[in-house]
Amino acid sequence: MTAKSLFEKVWQDHVVVPETDDTPAVLYIDLHLIHEVTTPQAFNVLRERGIRVRRPDLTLATMDHSTPTVPVTSLKDLDVVAEGSAARQIRQMIENCREFGIELHGFDRDTRGIVHVIGPELGATQPGKTIVCGDSHSSTHGAFGALAFGIGSTEVGHVLATQCLLQRRPRTLAVNINGQLAAGVTAKDIILALIAKIGVDGGTGHVIEYRGSTVAALDMEQRMTICNMSIEAGARAGMMAPDETTVEYLRGRPMAPQGADWDAAVKRWLALPSDPGASFDREVSLDASALEPMITFGTNPGMAIPVTAAIPERYSGPSFRKAMEYMQVEAGKPMLGKPVDLVFIGSCTNSRITDLRQVASVLRGRKVADNVKMLIVPGSQAIKQQAESEGLDEVFRAAGADWRESGCSMCLGMNGDTVPAGQLCVSTSNRNFEGRQGIGARTVLASPLTAAAAAVSGSIADPRTLETRQ
Amino acid sequence: MEKFTTLDAIAAPLLRINVDTDAIIPSREMKRVSKLGLSEGLFAGWRYTAPGSREENPDFILNQPPFRDAKILLSGQNFGCGSSREHAVWALAEWGIRCIIAPSFGAIFQGNCVRNGILPVVFDETLVDSLASQVRADPANNLIKVDLVRRIVTAPDGQEHGFEISDGDREMLLEGLDAIALTLRHKQEIQAFRDADRGRRPWVYLD
């Protein structure tokens, strides 16, 4: 028997009709995550054709993108705290879920949160599943050994109607990450360093498998941070081998299998890792022990450097110059010490409990600098509760940070949480695109530790120079 | 979906690399529950003079007279990277773009194009640059011809350049086909798969 990769195993397990030269494969989808922004047009298509949702039980619905991060205790509140068009989108989601019989993790539920945070949290994300969502950061779920990728709204309609997708088989890219991370260096730094190395289209057409001793040593939340940003390297998906860490994370979660099903599932999951000798279309390696905390300086996530380094002068061309002008930075000069206006902790990349604990370890006993406004947005209502039970919210408030309800918030500035024009925001999110966080916003991507260090220093800072306090 | 067979149109060079879907349509422009009206937000960050205004920036190429009628966009590598938002494609389509020629595309965006009657054509950077300079010499008259039936782009100088597109995508564009209908032809196979899979992985099914 030929050695198979993790991706090949999951792919083969879901082929309903094999692909041919003329036609893509019909691929079965195990879990469809939906939210209010990329689904209304898809539900309209179903309505126009009189089609029902084929598998409401395999469809997990929440609201996160345009939702306010101030409390919404009743739907009457919504019009007060949300912009009219956002409120309309949210109401439409509630109506669509009601009409099509889909359970909605909405404002009245303590399970609501960012779609890529609650999938794993509820135990719906599992190894070996095919998972899709009308959101490019669906790659997050690959941390569990699932094949998970973002789709457009037409495809959302397709999955709702058929529970399948038409897919061409992507190529595979093995990313070998070995070595022990130095203190102050985290998963976010690994993925930023990787994208800087292979480029924002370095993974195009490929599914990445992240492998090696560094990956095996990471907890699930750190693994999710890496897989989350696979799309920022252009990859179709990112995956990691399920192991005991994965199994322990899922054990006892509400939607995880129970009893005999659990035992059978675990057996199947632990057989999913790539066989020894499995081949990949491409391979790259990264020495994790040499990594430093990373930050971005330009307008895509590949424009990243170690926090102590100067902006490289090796780039040229009009696109690079435009990025430098937009960011008001200069090649040859460091980002370190640049004054910061805003710090955003949140998004599907870095808003989980361990991220918040890291932020608290920097903020404890310190103050957010006078020139900085800091917004901390937990990834889900469950994380919010967990953080509050640990007293993290008090650490944040005492430092002068703003502690909010869960949602995508300032990552994409769709819910009213935006960065004012010209301001510099150090953000734990995933994209530093021009205008992403607000018109004229200048975004610097960093890990939770580096972002927190910037908040208390008032400027871009090296987190390794600050003692952390547990 | 509008069918795509041939096109003979003005092309607008927007030769930036990594044009992301946030640039094509910012999130603040997509709080709609339908596909209509999204073209107003197309390239909003570049197309208008001031944040939030609708006053056109005369420096932006799609605001300049011959290019206002462009149906083809020429751009740099990795066009449409980033967010999966199909709103980007709906906005381009409503504005009038039917074909985008670039060295490479973001994968989700490229798929979204085909599902909405927009043809993505991959040409290397040298060829895209050459097309752009020919177009710039006389934008209103130096049209680019696209023939999906023959898989050929004819440059203003008369040279023909073949492009690759999978048969499935080509068929979908030529016929204006709908993927849901195509997939539902396999209803029985889907049912059989599900019945067998339920035996293998009962925990996946929650009904």
Side-chain angles (χ1 to χ4, degrees), chain B residues 153-179:
Chain B
V153 166
T154 310
D157 64 8
Q159 281 228 26
E160 292 193 341
H161 306 275
F163 63 88
E164 287 182 19
I165 181 170
S166 76
D167 291 340
D169 285 355
R170 179 170 168 270
E171 204 67 16
M172 200 171 277
L173 283 161
L174 284 174
E175 304 296 330
L177 288 182
D178 157 45

Short mmCIF file of all heavy atoms in Angstrom, two decimals, chain B residues 153-179:
data_model
loop_
_atom_site.label_atom_id
_atom_site.label_comp_id
_atom_site.label_asym_id
_atom_site.label_seq_id
_atom_site.Cartn_x
_atom_site.Cartn_y
_atom_site.Cartn_z
N VAL B 153 -6.78 35.01 -26.49
CA VAL B 153 -6.88 36.46 -26.31
C VAL B 153 -6.12 37.11 -27.46
O VAL B 153 -4.98 36.73 -27.73
CB VAL B 153 -6.28 36.90 -24.96
CG1 VAL B 153 -6.08 38.42 -24.92
CG2 VAL B 153 -7.18 36.47 -23.81
N THR B 154 -6.75 38.04 -28.16
CA THR B 154 -6.07 38.75 -29.24
C THR B 154 -5.69 40.15 -28.74
O THR B 154 -6.56 40.93 -28.33
CB THR B 154 -6.96 38.86 -30.48
OG1 THR B 154 -7.47 37.56 -30.79
CG2 THR B 154 -6.19 39.39 -31.68
N ALA B 155 -4.40 40.43 -28.78
CA ALA B 155 -3.89 41.73 -28.32
C ALA B 155 -4.22 42.80 -29.36
O ALA B 155 -4.50 42.47 -30.51
CB ALA B 155 -2.39 41.63 -28.10
N PRO B 156 -4.17 44.08 -28.97
CA PRO B 156 -4.41 45.15 -29.94
C PRO B 156 -3.50 45.05 -31.17
O PRO B 156 -3.90 45.42 -32.26
CB PRO B 156 -4.13 46.43 -29.13
CG PRO B 156 -4.43 46.04 -27.72
CD PRO B 156 -4.02 44.61 -27.59
N ASP B 157 -2.28 44.51 -31.00
CA ASP B 157 -1.37 44.40 -32.16
C ASP B 157 -1.70 43.20 -33.05
O ASP B 157 -0.98 42.92 -34.01
CB ASP B 157 0.09 44.32 -31.69
CG ASP B 157 0.38 43.07 -30.87
OD1 ASP B 157 -0.49 42.17 -30.78
OD2 ASP B 157 1.49 42.98 -30.30
N GLY B 158 -2.77 42.51 -32.75
CA GLY B 158 -3.22 41.41 -33.61
C GLY B 158 -2.66 40.05 -33.23
O GLY B 158 -3.10 39.02 -33.72
N GLN B 159 -1.69 40.04 -32.31
CA GLN B 159 -1.12 38.75 -31.89
C GLN B 159 -2.12 37.96 -31.05
O GLN B 159 -2.79 38.52 -30.19
CB GLN B 159 0.13 39.01 -31.05
CG GLN B 159 1.33 39.35 -31.89
CD GLN B 159 2.55 38.53 -31.45
OE1 GLN B 159 2.39 37.43 -30.91
NE2 GLN B 159 3.72 39.04 -31.70
N GLU B 160 -2.16 36.66 -31.30
CA GLU B 160 -3.06 35.80 -30.53
C GLU B 160 -2.28 35.08 -29.43
O GLU B 160 -1.17 34.61 -29.65
CB GLU B 160 -3.71 34.77 -31.45
CG GLU B 160 -4.68 35.41 -32.44
CD GLU B 160 -5.54 34.37 -33.14
OE1 GLU B 160 -5.17 33.18 -33.13
OE2 GLU B 160 -6.61 34.76 -33.66
N HIS B 161 -2.89 35.02 -28.25
CA HIS B 161 -2.26 34.35 -27.11
C HIS B 161 -3.24 33.35 -26.52
O HIS B 161 -4.34 33.73 -26.10
CB HIS B 161 -1.86 35.38 -26.04
CG HIS B 161 -1.01 36.49 -26.57
ND1 HIS B 161 0.36 36.38 -26.69
CD2 HIS B 161 -1.33 37.73 -27.03
CE1 HIS B 161 0.86 37.50 -27.20
NE2 HIS B 161 -0.16 38.34 -27.42
N GLY B 162 -2.85 32.09 -26.51
CA GLY B 162 -3.72 31.06 -25.94
C GLY B 162 -3.68 31.11 -24.42
O GLY B 162 -2.68 31.49 -23.82
N PHE B 163 -4.78 30.75 -23.77
CA PHE B 163 -4.78 30.66 -22.30
C PHE B 163 -5.41 29.33 -21.88
O PHE B 163 -6.12 28.69 -22.66
CB PHE B 163 -5.52 31.85 -21.67
CG PHE B 163 -6.98 31.96 -22.01
CD1 PHE B 163 -7.95 31.31 -21.26
CD2 PHE B 163 -7.39 32.73 -23.10
CE1 PHE B 163 -9.30 31.43 -21.58
CE2 PHE B 163 -8.74 32.86 -23.42
CZ PHE B 163 -9.69 32.20 -22.66
N GLU B 164 -5.09 28.95 -20.66
CA GLU B 164 -5.60 27.68 -20.14
C GLU B 164 -6.77 27.91 -19.22
O GLU B 164 -6.77 28.85 -18.43
CB GLU B 164 -4.50 26.94 -19.38
CG GLU B 164 -3.45 26.36 -20.30
CD GLU B 164 -2.38 25.59 -19.53
OE1 GLU B 164 -2.65 25.20 -18.37
OE2 GLU B 164 -1.30 25.39 -20.11
N ILE B 165 -7.75 27.05 -19.32
CA ILE B 165 -8.87 27.05 -18.38
C ILE B 165 -9.40 25.63 -18.36
O ILE B 165 -9.44 24.98 -19.41
CB ILE B 165 -9.96 28.09 -18.76
CG1 ILE B 165 -11.09 28.08 -17.74
CG2 ILE B 165 -10.50 27.86 -20.17
CD1 ILE B 165 -12.09 29.22 -17.88
N SER B 166 -9.79 25.14 -17.20
CA SER B 166 -10.25 23.75 -17.14
C SER B 166 -11.55 23.62 -17.93
O SER B 166 -12.30 24.58 -18.07
CB SER B 166 -10.46 23.32 -15.69
OG SER B 166 -11.65 23.89 -15.20
N ASP B 167 -11.77 22.42 -18.46
CA ASP B 167 -12.98 22.20 -19.26
C ASP B 167 -14.24 22.49 -18.46
O ASP B 167 -15.21 23.05 -18.98
CB ASP B 167 -13.01 20.75 -19.76
CG ASP B 167 -11.94 20.51 -20.81
OD1 ASP B 167 -11.46 21.51 -21.38
OD2 ASP B 167 -11.58 19.35 -21.02
N GLY B 168 -14.20 22.11 -17.17
CA GLY B 168 -15.39 22.33 -16.32
C GLY B 168 -15.71 23.81 -16.19
O GLY B 168 -16.86 24.22 -16.34
N ASP B 169 -14.66 24.61 -15.91
CA ASP B 169 -14.88 26.06 -15.74
C ASP B 169 -15.31 26.69 -17.06
O ASP B 169 -16.19 27.56 -17.10
CB ASP B 169 -13.59 26.73 -15.25
CG ASP B 169 -13.33 26.45 -13.77
OD1 ASP B 169 -14.20 25.82 -13.14
OD2 ASP B 169 -12.27 26.87 -13.27
N ARG B 170 -14.70 26.24 -18.15
CA ARG B 170 -15.03 26.79 -19.46
C ARG B 170 -16.50 26.51 -19.79
O ARG B 170 -17.24 27.40 -20.23
CB ARG B 170 -14.12 26.13 -20.51
CG ARG B 170 -14.37 26.59 -21.93
CD ARG B 170 -13.24 26.07 -22.83
NE ARG B 170 -13.55 26.22 -24.24
CZ ARG B 170 -14.19 25.30 -24.95
NH1 ARG B 170 -14.59 24.18 -24.39
NH2 ARG B 170 -14.42 25.52 -26.23
N GLU B 171 -16.89 25.28 -19.54
CA GLU B 171 -18.27 24.86 -19.79
C GLU B 171 -19.25 25.71 -18.98
O GLU B 171 -20.27 26.17 -19.48
CB GLU B 171 -18.40 23.38 -19.37
CG GLU B 171 -19.49 22.61 -20.03
CD GLU B 171 -19.24 22.43 -21.53
OE1 GLU B 171 -18.09 22.64 -21.97
OE2 GLU B 171 -20.21 22.12 -22.23
N MET B 172 -18.89 25.91 -17.70
CA MET B 172 -19.77 26.65 -16.81
C MET B 172 -19.96 28.08 -17.33
O MET B 172 -21.07 28.61 -17.33
CB MET B 172 -19.17 26.67 -15.40
CG MET B 172 -20.19 26.99 -14.32
SD MET B 172 -19.54 26.75 -12.67
CE MET B 172 -19.74 25.03 -12.42
N LEU B 173 -18.88 28.70 -17.80
CA LEU B 173 -18.95 30.06 -18.32
C LEU B 173 -19.68 30.11 -19.67
O LEU B 173 -20.55 30.96 -19.89
CB LEU B 173 -17.54 30.64 -18.48
CG LEU B 173 -16.87 31.11 -17.19
CD1 LEU B 173 -15.37 31.22 -17.37
CD2 LEU B 173 -17.45 32.44 -16.72
N LEU B 174 -19.34 29.19 -20.55
CA LEU B 174 -19.95 29.19 -21.89
C LEU B 174 -21.46 28.98 -21.83
O LEU B 174 -22.22 29.62 -22.53
CB LEU B 174 -19.34 28.09 -22.77
CG LEU B 174 -17.94 28.33 -23.33
CD1 LEU B 174 -17.44 27.08 -24.05
CD2 LEU B 174 -17.94 29.52 -24.29
N GLU B 175 -21.86 28.07 -20.95
CA GLU B 175 -23.27 27.70 -20.90
C GLU B 175 -24.03 28.44 -19.81
O GLU B 175 -25.24 28.30 -19.69
CB GLU B 175 -23.40 26.19 -20.64
CG GLU B 175 -22.68 25.30 -21.64
CD GLU B 175 -23.26 25.44 -23.03
OE1 GLU B 175 -24.46 25.73 -23.15
OE2 GLU B 175 -22.50 25.30 -24.01
N GLY B 176 -23.31 29.21 -18.98
CA GLY B 176 -23.97 29.86 -17.85
C GLY B 176 -24.56 28.81 -16.92
O GLY B 176 -25.63 28.96 -16.35
N LEU B 177 -23.82 27.71 -16.73
CA LEU B 177 -24.34 26.57 -15.96
C LEU B 177 -24.39 26.87 -14.47
O LEU B 177 -23.67 27.72 -13.95
CB LEU B 177 -23.46 25.34 -16.16
CG LEU B 177 -23.53 24.65 -17.51
CD1 LEU B 177 -22.63 23.44 -17.48
CD2 LEU B 177 -24.97 24.26 -17.84
N ASP B 178 -25.17 26.08 -13.82
CA ASP B 178 -25.37 26.27 -12.41
C ASP B 178 -24.89 25.02 -11.68
O ASP B 178 -25.32 23.91 -11.97
CB ASP B 178 -26.85 26.54 -12.21
CG ASP B 178 -27.29 26.23 -10.82
OD1 ASP B 178 -26.59 26.62 -9.90
OD2 ASP B 178 -28.33 25.55 -10.67
N ALA B 179 -23.94 25.22 -10.74
CA ALA B 179 -23.30 24.08 -10.08
C ALA B 179 -24.27 23.25 -9.23
O ALA B 179 -24.11 22.04 -9.10
CB ALA B 179 -22.14 24.57 -9.23
#
